[in-house]
Amino acid sequence: MKFASIAVFLFGGLGWAFGQNSGTISGTLKQHSGEALPEATVELVELNKHTLTDQEGKFSFDHLTEGNYHVKIQVIGSDEKIVEVKVKDNEPAVINYQLEKENISVIQEITLSSVTNKFSKKESPYVSKLPLKNMETPQVYISVPKELIQEQIAVNLGSISKNIPGSGIPMLANQGRVTFLSRGFTTEPMVRNGISGFSYTTIDPANLEKIEAIKGPSATLFGSNLSTYGGLFNRVTKKPYNGFGGEVSYTAGSWNYNRFTVDVNTPVNKDKTVLFRLNGAATYQKSFQDLGFSNAISIAPSISYQINDRLSLLFDIEYGHEKGTSVVRFNPFLGSNKVQSIADMKFPYNRLFGSNDIAYETEMMNIFAQMNYKISDHWTSQTVLSRARSTIDGYITAINGVTDTTARLQVMKGNTNFIATNIQQNFIGDFQILGHRNRLVVGLDYYNNANSFDRVTVNGTAFDFTSNAPYAANQSTIDNLAASGTPRIEKNGDNSYAVYASDVFNITDKLLAMVSLRADRYQNLGVTNIAQNINTGDYWQTNFSPKFGLVYEVVKDKVSVFGNYMNGFTNKGGSDFYGNTFKPEQANQKEFGVKGDLFNHKLVGTISYYDIDVKNMVRQDPVNNLFSVQDGGQRSKGVELEFTANPFKGFNVIAGYAYNDSKMTKADDKVNGLRPALSGPSNLYNLWMSYQIMNGELKGLGIGFGGNKGNHSFQTNTTTAKVIIPSYTTLDAAVFYDHKNFRAGIKVNNLTNEQTWSVRLTPQNPTQVLGSIAYKF
């Protein structure tokens, strides 16, 4: 890549005397768009000194003696550039550079910010594992940046996901684990910075730069362990930057909600090649119900080291610890041929049916390390290691219906451990073939799961949930039942060995083609009964996962049309009645749509149509009911629309709509042709609008308003029984003031006190008020 313009200006002027070493070299590095390029490597060759550009793209070398110097600029995907500079005492030498064409760094994440449309931060090095702009990518993805998270005082992943079309009401598991919807499939935030970052516990958003919802089957690049047929959620964490700064904040609200966060960043050495950042949070809250609580703490340090102009390291850790009570998870009694709504069951909205001493404790530790080496002007090596561990101790509860008005508490007591190791090696190229630009990633991927269980499940006595009488389940009662229970003591695991390649070829400047393929060798280690030392269910499978895409930029960098064919898969063990071993389940997506980035980034959005066809699903054998057959299917089709807009100065909008038509196409008689229960509402809407005063004495004062809407969905949907979750409309409002030294805001969630439930029939918060204040330094 060449530079369109290189201007070297030597300015003379008055300055302060620094003896014989008073010379300076400074400058600014910009992208093709004119926006700053932070975190780029700059070297002063003669002195072997390195530095990084700051968030405004600026750099400097001070206290230099007179003489001639060479300044070397290194940007991944661009040719190395060396400029000769003459330094004189008290006469600063200024170097300003602008790249010839857009470049998205694969070493550091470069955030392309827009002064006007603050909610639009699309560019990502993770979606395609290549330096591609949104307009060049034949795949739909939505980003929720920290600016929106801060404005909405979104204190958990469920609050953040309100801004993602089709994500629905999050399903919260009993140990804090959260699950969203994507194109009719349940999807968890299993990916962090483009690699495994799973957690079966609460994930605190304190260290989030943004969340990316990458749509559609994405196993080709991310594997089946991290993605579902609907897509995946990638948590992009805050990285160290070149400068000292940060903030501390305190948030308080309804039901004794208290949250303290800290974000501190500082260079470690004089040359600012070693950078450190620390994010942390402590959150203490009670439930809106009669009982229930959660106390959590998280710490997330990160450090980056630019060793030289070609080699850099990034290392960070996520640690979290939480103690709390399980949320309500209600499984109603299913009578024959019964259609019922949770709103009519007389199940109390504000009761926990447990006690605060029936609590769990979780601990999570995610370690992430990345090494980047610039092999040449056109090739980069990227080595990534992730190690994730989640531990759950204590009591996890559910409520199971016995009759229309009675239920019993089910409690799982004990210990569970989940450990995942992911190692990736990517080689990323950006080069010319016969005058055509070619971007290629070739990767090796190893993934290991190792899980262990030591727990027992017990059932309490039946109680009348329509009665006002207290339900006296406590830790002593459960412990007595567990003492005579049969524990589950076992371990399981699997290995995945994969190689993948993805190539984007510029047929013309406006027409791009993507071809990708993954070869996956999967080893299921089976389940080992530790007490009996017996292992069962181990098997090997091989699978190939393709991906194709076309993009045509109708108007360069402003309007593009795209289409894709993508594949996802799930490994399946076992065999049918005749001894035929099962093959991996397959999901193939066809999609096309339009992307726009118009009016100087004031309107950015995507509209698409998709069709996902799942085949080889394992279902009960209709003839030999003790066995299974592999001929099941599911079809998920739909339309998605999302956009961010800045119609006029200070006014910003983010909105979306998702329609999903999902059906079981070949399945057991009880569900064939019906919408799967966990697919959520077929129509989902999201909207947030805010206005901030940009000038004058009230500069920084703003208001926000928005909401979410979904039609009815199902907890159970069969020909013999249905449990309906009613439609809902929730509205939120905020008032905020953003000053250069502090930020304050008040947010009201669920203004109309709407009663809503997740697909697990967990009651959601009624009207909640949050107030937050932050000091920035």
Side-chain angles (χ1 to χ4, degrees):
M1 185 185 296
K2 297 181 179 179
F3 294 95
S5 60
I6 303 175
V8 180
F9 301 98
L10 300 179
F11 292 95
L14 297 176
W16 291 272
F18 293 101
Q20 293 182 346
N21 301 332
S22 59
T24 64
I25 299 174
S26 63
T28 302
L29 184 61
K30 295 183 178 181
Q31 303 190 56
H32 174 66
S33 62
E35 298 176 270
L37 179 58
E39 307 291 329
T41 306
V42 184
E43 178 186 358
L44 192 58
V45 177
E46 282 73 14
L47 301 182
N48 194 28
K49 294 180 67 175
H50 303 83
T51 189
L52 298 174
T53 56
D54 63 16
Q55 296 302 104
E56 297 178 351
K58 297 179 180 179
F59 69 92
S60 66
F61 297 102
D62 302 320
H63 309 305
L64 304 176
T65 58
E66 285 191 351
N68 294 323
Y69 294 88
H70 293 83
V71 175
K72 181 162 65 174
I73 306 293
Q74 288 275 58
V75 179
I76 297 303
S78 298
D79 293 337
E80 177 184 284
K81 196 66 183 181
I82 298 178
V83 177
E84 184 176 356
V85 182
K86 187 173 183 179
V87 173
K88 296 182 179 180
D89 286 345
N90 302 321
E91 294 185 9
V94 179
I95 306 172
N96 296 315
Y97 297 94
Q98 186 167 349
L99 302 186
E100 181 181 65
K101 59 182 178 179
E102 200 64 83
N103 180 286
I104 308 300
S105 173
V106 295
I107 283 189
Q108 301 96 355
E109 183 200 358
I110 302 303
T111 302
L112 301 180
S113 61
S114 171
V115 176
T116 54
N117 196 346
K118 63 182 180 180
F119 296 158
S120 179
K121 295 199 173 181
K122 278 284 193 181
E123 310 305 342
S124 169
Y126 305 111
V127 174
S128 300
K129 298 186 184 291
L130 284 170
L132 292 179
K133 295 180 293 183
N134 175 45
M135 302 302 291
E136 298 176 312
T137 306
Q139 188 168 0
V140 176
Y141 63 97
I142 293 95
S143 298
V144 182
K146 66 180 180 182
E147 288 79 4
L148 181 57
I149 295 172
Q150 290 174 345
E151 183 174 291
Q152 293 182 341
I153 314 182
V155 293
N156 52 55
L157 294 187
S159 299
I160 297 171
S161 70
K162 289 181 177 181
N163 303 287
I164 299 173
S167 67
I169 295 175
M171 181 178 70
L172 190 65
N174 292 324
Q175 65 277 11
R177 177 181 174 187
V178 66
T179 301
F180 311 115
L181 292 170
S182 184
R183 299 191 167 177
F185 299 93
T186 55
T187 306
E188 299 179 25
M190 300 287 282
V191 183
R192 172 169 167 258
N193 296 328
I195 196 171
S196 171
F198 88 90
S199 175
Y200 288 116
T201 65
T202 297
I203 299 173
D204 196 286
N207 68 329
L208 283 185
E209 184 71 28
K210 62 180 177 178
I211 279 187
E212 297 174 340
I214 303 174
K215 298 289 190 169
S218 300
T220 305
L221 292 181
F222 294 94
S224 63
N225 290 292
L226 305 180
S227 63
T228 70
Y229 302 146
L232 60 94
F233 288 83
N234 180 36
R235 309 183 327 265
V236 180
T237 61
K238 297 175 182 177
K239 309 297 191 302
Y241 57 89
N242 186 354
F244 176 77
E247 70 174 46
V248 292
S249 72
Y250 172 69
T251 303
S254 306
W255 318 303
N256 197 30
Y257 184 90
N258 293 274
R259 176 175 171 82
F260 176 79
T261 68
V262 61
D263 180 358
V264 180
N265 186 91
T266 183
V268 176
N269 62 347
K270 181 179 178 181
D271 293 333
K272 300 182 179 181
T273 56
V274 182
L275 310 173
F276 177 77
R277 190 168 188 174
L278 176 66
N279 285 273
T283 306
Y284 306 92
Q285 60 182 319
K286 292 183 178 179
S287 169
F288 71 89
Q289 296 174 314
D290 56 351
L291 293 169
F293 73 96
S294 172
N295 299 331
I297 186 169
S298 69
I299 302 172
S302 60
I303 188 167
S304 67
Y305 179 24
Q306 191 73 35
I307 300 173
N308 55 46
D309 59 346
R310 291 182 178 272
L311 182 63
S312 70
L313 296 175
L314 175 65
F315 180 80
D316 65 24
I317 295 174
E318 286 180 325
Y319 172 81
H321 182 273
E322 180 182 27
K323 182 175 182 178
T325 52
S326 295
V327 297
V328 168
R329 176 185 176 184
F330 181 45
N331 300 305
F333 172 71
L334 302 178
S336 180
N337 297 316
K338 179 178 288 188
V339 177
Q340 51 189 333
S341 169
I342 179 60
D344 302 325
M345 289 184 187
K346 299 181 181 180
F347 186 85
Y349 197 79
N350 62 348
R351 296 193 63 184
L352 183 68
F353 292 112
S355 62
N356 283 346
D357 63 356
I358 307 178
Y360 62 79
E361 281 194 67
T362 63
E363 185 176 72
M364 63 90 81
M365 173 79 81
N366 286 349
I367 299 173
F368 175 89
Q370 179 173 319
M371 180 178 71
N372 301 278
Y373 180 69
K374 184 172 182 179
I375 301 171
S376 68
D377 289 341
H378 302 291
W379 284 96
T380 302
S381 169
Q382 181 187 75
T383 307
V384 190
L385 167 67
S386 173
R387 177 84 164 178
R389 177 179 66 86
S390 297
T391 300
I392 306 164
D393 285 295
Y395 307 82
I396 297 174
T397 66
I399 301 172
N400 295 328
V402 178
T403 69
D404 289 343
T405 59
T406 62
R408 59 164 50 101
L409 194 67
Q410 183 183 74
V411 182
M412 184 170 61
K413 177 191 175 183
N415 172 270
T416 306
N417 285 281
F418 302 94
I419 300 175
T421 304
N422 198 181
I423 302 173
Q424 281 187 8
Q425 172 61 52
N426 295 312
F427 295 99
I428 302 167
D430 189 344
F431 50 91
Q432 299 284 322
I433 295 180
L434 300 177
H436 297 269
R437 190 180 185 187
N438 199 79
R439 281 163 284 187
L440 172 68
V441 57
V442 177
L444 300 171
D445 188 16
Y446 168 72
Y447 188 88
N448 167 263
N449 272 318
N451 310 317
S452 63
F453 307 87
D454 182 2
R455 61 196 191 192
V456 61
T457 300
V458 298
N459 293 295
T461 58
F463 60 91
D464 185 351
F465 58 73
T466 65
S467 169
N468 291 325
Y471 176 63
N474 54 38
Q475 186 180 115
S476 177
T477 304
I478 299 303
D479 287 348
N480 289 334
L481 291 171
S484 58
T486 302
R488 173 191 178 190
I489 306 176
E490 63 185 38
K491 64 180 181 179
N492 62 45
D494 57 72
N495 293 305
S496 179
Y497 309 87
V499 57
Y500 54 83
S502 182
D503 182 65
V504 174
F505 184 76
N506 279 72
I507 300 172
T508 69
D509 186 48
K510 293 184 177 182
L511 180 62
L512 296 83
M514 172 184 281
V515 179
S516 311
L517 180 65
R518 180 188 189 93
D520 188 276
R521 180 64 169 160
Y522 176 78
Q523 178 190 20
N524 190 305
L525 300 175
V527 177
T528 300
N529 184 313
I530 296 176
Q532 301 177 4
N533 195 27
I534 297 175
N535 179 272
T536 57
D538 58 314
Y539 64 92
W540 286 84
Q541 281 184 346
T542 300
N543 190 71
F544 295 92
S545 178
K547 175 181 177 182
F548 305 98
L550 280 175
V551 175
Y552 179 68
E553 297 188 65
V554 181
V555 181
K556 183 67 175 175
D557 296 327
K558 297 184 183 300
V559 179
S560 65
V561 294
F562 68 93
N564 67 56
Y565 171 87
M566 298 167 60
N567 174 266
F569 62 92
T570 300
N571 295 100
K572 293 291 182 180
S575 59
D576 61 17
F577 176 79
Y578 301 100
N580 299 311
T581 57
F582 294 139
K583 299 177 294 184
E585 186 177 285
Q586 297 285 340
N588 298 307
Q589 172 183 277
K590 294 173 288 186
E591 180 180 21
F592 60 88
V594 180
K595 295 183 179 183
D597 189 338
L598 305 172
F599 312 116
N600 192 27
H601 309 300
K602 288 187 176 182
L603 178 61
V604 180
T606 305
I607 182 170
S608 66
Y609 170 82
Y610 63 86
D611 186 339
I612 303 172
D613 188 12
V614 186
K615 297 180 179 180
N616 293 337
M617 297 180 71
V618 176
R619 65 186 183 99
Q620 186 180 28
D621 189 330
V623 178
N624 306 289
N625 58 16
L626 296 180
F627 292 85
S628 297
V629 294
Q630 190 175 31
D631 63 356
Q634 181 178 341
R635 195 76 174 270
S636 182
K637 301 182 291 183
V639 175
E640 288 182 338
L641 166 67
E642 60 90 16
F643 71 88
T644 60
N646 175 233
F648 54 88
K649 191 175 182 179
F651 182 56
N652 288 274
V653 180
I654 182 168
Y657 167 68
Y659 168 73
N660 174 258
D661 177 20
S662 189
K663 288 184 175 63
M664 303 302 297
T665 55
K666 189 173 184 181
D668 299 335
D669 291 340
K670 289 185 178 180
V671 297
N672 194 47
L674 299 179
R675 182 175 182 84
L678 297 183
S679 292
S682 58
N683 290 274
L684 287 164
Y685 306 80
N686 65 280
L687 172 69
W688 181 258
M689 304 178 293
S690 70
Y691 175 71
Q692 186 175 12
I693 299 172
M694 305 301 291
N695 298 294
E697 295 183 357
L698 297 178
K699 180 182 178 181
L701 181 64
I703 58 173
F705 178 80
N708 293 78
K709 179 180 176 63
N711 65 332
H712 75 276
S713 56
F714 300 94
Q715 187 266 352
T716 300
N717 188 23
T718 70
T719 56
T720 59
K722 298 181 188 294
V723 176
I724 299 171
I725 303 173
S727 60
Y728 65 90
T729 301
T730 58
L731 302 174
D732 307 326
V735 179
F736 56 90
Y737 181 68
D738 199 348
H739 185 269
K740 66 178 182 178
N741 296 123
F742 68 91
R743 182 180 66 255
I746 297 175
K747 174 81 177 299
V748 182
N749 294 313
N750 196 1
L751 281 164
T752 59
N753 207 32
E754 183 98 344
Q755 290 192 352
T756 60
W757 294 263
S758 73
V759 292
R760 280 192 168 184
L761 299 185
T762 302
Q764 304 298 295
N765 285 341
T767 300
Q768 180 189 36
V769 181
L770 293 173
S772 180
I773 186 166
Y775 172 68
K776 298 182 282 187
F777 54 88

